[in-house]
Amino acid sequence: MTITVYGASLSPFVRKVCIALVEKQIPFEQIQVDPARLPDDFYDLSPFGRIPALKHGDNILADSAVILSYLERTFPEHPLGYDDPFLQAKVQWFEKFADYELAPNTTFGIFRNRVLMKMMGRESDTDYVDKCLTKRIPPLLDYLEASIGSNEFMVGDRFTIADIAIASQFVNYSYGNERIDDAQWPNAAAYVQRLLARPSIAPMIEKESVFIQKILNR
């Protein structure tokens, strides 16, 4: 059965699903859906109009965390989680950290105002950007720095959904011309740099960067 992912590539939540599929070596097709111009039938896939949505045969799901949970159980090869209950709980914790703590700042704060608003020819909220950079993001980087320490991966000894979720947010952060200060947060900076260079992620960044520059340079 063909797997189809619906959503905009620049969404970190859509990117999460695509990275996971690449890591698990599962073929899929992606249909671009602009969240600002949803087709009427998209609500059949996602009842509240949120991206991403996924269709696998007759199975239809929305929400990146739900989709990734489904993929892990349906395709156990090349696991992105753990059988150990505590380690798996930690994977879920860091996925939520990325989705609910990082996303409002890295994506909806920096990326939205510095990239999306410019694409739409609208004014950015520079005050909110400044607040994200000076007040909201530093404590999150402090937590990330302490959590990763000298480890290669965020949880256990392998690449997991936790790493995917975190990487996806920092991709958008980088599109907003921001990088983690490696003098202040050396562990976090090195960790994110490793993630973004991963073979499942780097080609997506290259392709998306070309698209962004093409739109901005119109």
Side-chain angles (χ1 to χ4, degrees):
M1 294 183 289
T2 300
I3 289 181
T4 305
V5 178
Y6 299 83
S9 294
L10 295 181
S11 162
F13 305 105
V14 174
R15 190 182 300 115
K16 274 174 62 180
V17 173
C18 292
I19 293 171
L21 287 164
V22 173
E23 288 281 345
K24 293 178 78 63
Q25 301 178 28
I26 302 170
F28 69 99
E29 68 170 323
Q30 183 179 357
I31 295 179
Q32 296 292 332
V33 176
D34 184 346
R37 301 180 183 85
L38 293 175
D40 292 339
D41 59 357
F42 185 72
Y43 290 92
D44 296 331
L45 301 171
S46 179
F48 302 106
R50 300 192 185 107
I51 59 173
L54 178 138
K55 187 173 183 180
H56 179 217
D58 293 330
N59 297 332
I60 297 172
L61 293 167
D63 183 90
S64 63
V66 171
I67 291 169
L68 292 185
S69 178
Y70 170 78
L71 292 175
E72 277 294 280
R73 286 162 174 76
T74 306
F75 303 96
E77 301 83 4
H78 310 290
L80 296 170
Y82 292 97
D83 292 331
D84 180 273
F86 179 68
L87 289 178
Q88 182 56 28
K90 289 187 68 176
V91 169
Q92 292 173 303
W93 166 259
F94 282 104
E95 182 181 12
K96 295 302 181 185
F97 167 73
D99 290 356
Y100 292 97
E101 305 299 335
L102 289 176
N105 299 289
T106 55
T107 293
F108 299 111
I110 306 303
F111 173 74
R112 176 177 174 81
N113 281 288
R114 287 188 172 170
V115 179
L116 291 185
M117 291 296 101
K118 189 178 292 186
M119 284 181 172
M120 295 185 287
R122 295 167 57 182
E123 291 292 324
S124 65
D125 187 342
T126 56
D127 287 341
Y128 186 60
V129 168
D130 183 66
K131 183 178 180 181
C132 288
L133 291 173
T134 60
K135 297 184 182 301
R136 298 175 63 122
I137 292 177
L140 302 178
L141 293 177
D142 289 342
Y143 179 70
L144 197 65
E145 177 77 7
S147 298
I148 189 63
S150 60
N151 299 321
E152 183 176 1
F153 304 110
M154 186 53 68
V155 180
D157 59 358
R158 65 170 180 257
F159 186 77
T160 68
I161 289 169
D163 303 301
I164 293 174
I166 292 168
S168 295
Q169 297 300 332
F170 279 104
V171 169
N172 283 43
Y173 191 58
S174 71
Y175 292 158
N177 293 320
E178 291 296 335
R179 300 289 187 277
I180 299 174
D181 184 345
D182 58 6
Q184 187 169 1
W185 298 286
N187 295 331
Y191 165 65
V192 169
Q193 187 175 15
R194 289 195 302 272
L195 293 181
L196 271 53
R198 197 170 174 88
S200 61
I201 300 176
M204 293 185 189
I205 295 175
E206 182 177 1
K207 185 176 180 180
E208 292 167 10
S209 297
V210 170
F211 172 75
I212 290 172
Q213 291 306 313
K214 183 178 179 180
I215 296 297
L216 292 181
N217 292 333
R218 279 181 178 177

